[in-house]
Amino acid sequence: MTFDVARVRADFPILTREVNGHPLVYLDSANTSQKPVQVLDVMRVHNERHNGNVSRSVHTLGTEATSAYEDARAKIAGFVGAATPDEIVFTKNSTEAINLVAHSLGQHLALKPGDEVVISEMEHHSNIVPWQLLCERTGATLRWFGVTDDGRLAPDESLINERTKIVSVVHMSNVLGTINDVTGIVARAHEVGALVMLDCSQSVPHLPVDVQALGADFIAFTGHKMLGPTGIGVLWGRYSLLAEMPPFLAGGSMIETVTMGGTTYAAPPARFEAGTPPIAEAIGLGAAVDYLTALGMEAVHQHEQDITAYALKVLTDVPGVRLFGPATPEGRGGTLSFGVDGVHPHDVGQILDALGVEVRVGHHCAKPTCARFGVPAMTRASFYLYTTTDEIDALARGLDQVKKVFG
Amino acid sequence: MLDGLYQEIILDHYKHPHGRGLRDPFTGEAHHVNPTCGDEITVRVNSSSGEFTDISYDGLGCSISQASASVLYELLLNRSAADAAGIQDAFVALMQGRGQVEPDEDVLGDGIAFAGVAKFPARVKCALLPWMAFKDAAARAGIDVSSEASEVKA
């Protein structure tokens, strides 16, 4: 079955609206994606018909809610190739998933001065700050891969060594669009006995991701960037590691038994899901996974590769536009950051918005990446399964208008 | 709708900023950052007998924030603390007025061009960035330009 973008778009009610008198051109899916009716309906029906708390009720509604919640976990496990649904921990977002690992794994490994944690210069702040804090708490040293001029991780043979305990890098950059080939990093880390976490917030929504093939020990991703709702994220971890790690947040649902003298903890994933979870959101994410699975992630990825190739060509042809990140679609996804000569990204974004074209401007929560390219901010257009070549043309027309206003 | 935001006066100040560049001597300096967008500005003031004998600045930012710094320089240079406080108050009130405040050209000069910015909540902080940095720089020079006390403290 060929990928029919018009048919896909018909599933997304928001795509029919106008913004400032123009048809909406939504080019900000790396920030948050839009939701199809299939996701919205599942969440509405859950709240209208099946709402109950999970994992504790004997009544019918609670049982239905628990069953839907756990079904969602199983769908997500299948989607990323987890060995078992018990390897899927629901969190609030990717940020919480990374913080969970920084705390619990940091404690489990008893990090100390002399130990090293390795990240990169192309990380989102959520994959920088938790490790900075871990290093502050433990005295470990934070080190990082640099970024090349064409937006790739700069190879550094000695960076991962026998002192390295944790390596956490981004799978696909939220700024440069780079899809990192992590094979070498994972192999090197495991060779020296270090564990590997991958921030897959931008990759799981857009390309087939199989945790077994990646070879990492933990990955994080978030629901709202993959057609699901906000407030639900995912940590996948190898079960044997999760089983050894101490809890992160503590409270209800994460215990085995509690006395006034002490507590024993539930097995994963419950150990890491303290308190009432975002139930409807988890179920909504399960529906999003169903939607993506039905289309096929290969087909989604191929569509985005085609759009990206088109956009790279169109933007390269706009005089005064400087692209950041890989210049060809190979090893990159549909997230394009650029600068317009002499015009600040805020002004670019404002003029595009007046034309209904919604892009992200600013530092994209990745200030070191911007600094690497010598700019305080960038304009970013990001694509998804509903993006069309007409929308890329609308972006190019908008950029002509930007240059007219600031010419 | 953008005509209200990108007035010719604003674009002119952006392309040809007045008083830009950090200068010596100075008696107070402040560096402000807008954490959401990463825009930055450094403002220096030089004061003598409670008057701003120089205001200099440098920064990275959008047309609104940079033009606003240029207008600030025009409006507040060689003014007394009390005058500066009055103008600062008028500008802040205009920016926070959601487009409902009628600006007084006698007080705000080219600053009235920013009336349209007040209708874009995401951009109000851009316009205010240099003004907040100025207020801090003045405070470090011992001059309070907040509305409550526009007296010279030192």
Side-chain angles (χ1 to χ4, degrees):
Chain A
M1 194 183 83
T2 55
F3 191 86
D4 183 350
V5 69
R7 210 168 136 184
V8 167
R9 288 177 70 83
D11 289 331
F12 291 78
I14 202 168
L15 297 179
T16 61
R17 76 161 274 185
E18 292 196 338
V19 169
N20 296 323
H22 297 270
L24 168 65
V25 174
Y26 189 75
L27 300 179
D28 199 19
S29 290
N31 201 353
T32 194
S33 63
Q34 300 300 344
K35 303 174 206 28
V37 289
Q38 288 85 341
V39 169
L40 299 170
D41 283 351
V42 162
M43 292 180 72
R44 184 177 47 77
V45 169
H46 170 77
N47 281 319
E48 285 178 359
R49 307 288 304 168
H50 309 291
N51 182 47
N53 209 337
V54 295
S55 316
R56 65 196 69 187
S57 310
V58 293
H59 58 63
T60 300
L61 294 187
T63 309
E64 288 174 1
T66 303
S67 157
Y69 181 72
E70 293 304 328
D71 280 355
R73 192 192 305 279
K75 285 172 190 174
I76 293 157
F79 190 64
V80 296
T84 142
D86 290 340
E87 293 188 331
I88 299 295
V89 177
F90 284 126
T91 61
K92 184 170 67 180
N93 44 35
S94 292
T95 299
E96 188 185 291
I98 297 169
N99 275 276
L100 191 165
V101 173
H103 274 264
S104 296
L105 186 65
Q107 194 183 332
H108 171 60
L109 297 176
L111 253 58
K112 58 187 187 306
D115 291 341
E116 293 178 0
V117 175
V118 171
I119 59 172
S120 89
E121 208 178 5
M122 69 162 78
E123 303 305 321
H124 189 281
H125 295 161
S126 62
N127 201 27
I128 299 175
V129 187
W131 305 111
Q132 289 176 334
L133 291 176
L134 174 64
C135 289
E136 277 176 27
R137 286 195 300 273
T138 60
T141 303
L142 188 65
R143 305 185 67 191
W144 53 87
F145 286 101
V147 172
T148 64
D149 288 342
D150 61 347
R152 307 270 177 199
L153 285 183
D156 185 341
E157 292 301 326
S158 62
L159 190 63
I160 300 175
N161 56 55
E162 68 286 347
R163 295 183 300 276
T164 311
K165 299 300 175 213
I166 303 172
V167 177
S168 187
V169 292
V170 69
H171 190 206
M172 174 175 151
S173 163
N174 73 312
V175 176
L176 306 169
T178 316
I179 300 171
N180 289 313
D181 179 0
V182 294
T183 324
I185 291 174
V186 170
R188 175 68 185 143
H190 286 166
E191 195 180 292
V192 299
L195 295 169
V196 180
M197 170 148 212
L198 297 176
D199 174 3
C200 294
S201 306
Q202 299 288 344
S203 58
V204 165
H206 299 282
L207 49 133
V209 167
D210 182 298
V211 293
Q212 312 302 337
L214 279 177
D217 302 292
F218 303 93
I219 74 168
F221 54 101
T222 192
H224 71 98
K225 294 191 199 295
M226 52 188 289
L227 313 182
T230 55
I232 184 77
V234 175
L235 168 69
W236 167 82
R238 286 189 193 285
Y239 192 82
S240 55
L241 284 166
L242 293 175
E244 291 174 350
M245 283 159 52
F248 172 42
L249 300 176
S253 300
M254 50 76 74
I255 57 99
E256 184 183 58
T257 185
V258 179
T259 67
M260 294 313 289
T263 297
T264 54
Y265 309 117
R271 182 185 303 168
F272 302 105
E273 294 181 2
T276 295
I279 300 165
E281 287 74 12
I283 294 165
L285 178 55
V289 162
D290 283 342
Y291 187 88
L292 289 168
T293 305
L295 284 172
M297 286 308 290
E298 283 291 355
V300 168
H301 184 50
Q302 189 53 53
H303 172 72
E304 290 180 39
Q305 288 290 103
D306 295 346
I307 292 290
T308 303
Y310 184 79
L312 283 168
K313 195 184 160 307
V314 167
L315 289 184
T316 307
D317 288 347
V318 181
V321 167
R322 172 193 176 196
L323 278 166
F324 301 101
T328 60
E330 289 76 41
R332 67 129 56 241
T335 290
L336 266 62
S337 291
F338 55 92
V340 181
D341 278 353
V343 191
H344 189 277
H346 267 192
D347 296 317
V348 175
Q350 192 83 59
I351 290 167
L352 291 177
D353 176 62
L355 301 167
V357 180
E358 314 288 274
V359 296
R360 170 93 189 260
V361 296
H363 54 57
H364 313 288
C365 297
K367 289 192 83 163
T369 313
C370 292
R372 164 63 184 81
F373 290 92
V375 292
M378 297 175 182
T379 303
R380 179 184 74 184
S382 55
F383 318 135
Y384 209 175
L385 43 78
Y386 38 62
T387 308
T388 66
T389 52
D390 285 350
E391 291 181 307
I392 306 301
D393 293 339
L395 170 65
R397 284 195 303 275
L399 292 175
D400 285 339
Q401 182 65 25
V402 167
K403 290 192 294 177
K404 226 151 108 190
V405 172
F406 282 88
Chain B
M1 64 173 288
L2 277 183
D3 297 348
L5 184 64
Y6 294 117
Q7 299 267 332
E8 270 311 312
I9 296 174
I10 292 181
L11 292 176
D12 203 47
H13 275 280
Y14 176 55
K15 290 171 191 165
H16 311 286
H18 303 192
R20 190 181 170 88
L22 293 172
R23 288 180 290 277
D24 290 315
F26 63 95
T27 49
E29 180 184 81
H31 177 73
H32 273 215
V33 175
N34 181 340
T36 3
C37 63
D39 285 1
E40 301 185 18
I41 194 154
T42 302
V43 175
R44 284 180 182 174
V45 302
N46 196 37
S47 53
S48 169
S49 314
E51 201 169 272
F52 295 105
T53 52
D54 193 18
I55 299 170
S56 65
Y57 63 92
D58 202 4
L60 290 166
C62 64
S63 60
I64 305 297
S65 70
Q66 299 305 297
S68 181
S70 173
V71 167
L72 178 151
Y73 169 84
E74 289 282 284
L75 287 173
L76 302 187
L77 186 67
N78 295 324
R79 296 285 195 151
S80 68
D83 283 356
I87 295 165
Q88 166 111 12
D89 281 355
F91 191 79
V92 172
L94 176 64
M95 285 302 96
Q96 293 175 343
R98 297 172 186 274
Q100 306 300 310
V101 173
E102 194 58 44
D104 181 351
E105 190 169 4
D106 292 340
V107 176
L108 286 176
D110 280 0
I112 62 166
F114 286 79
V117 177
K119 291 178 199 143
F120 294 82
R123 305 304 294 280
V124 167
K125 60 186 189 303
C126 308
L128 288 177
L129 184 68
W131 295 78
M132 295 303 143
F134 166 77
K135 196 170 146 182
D136 270 5
R140 283 172 195 164
I143 303 173
D144 190 345
V145 291
S146 63
S147 51
E148 305 81 48
S150 47
E151 300 298 312
V152 180
K153 282 197 292 193

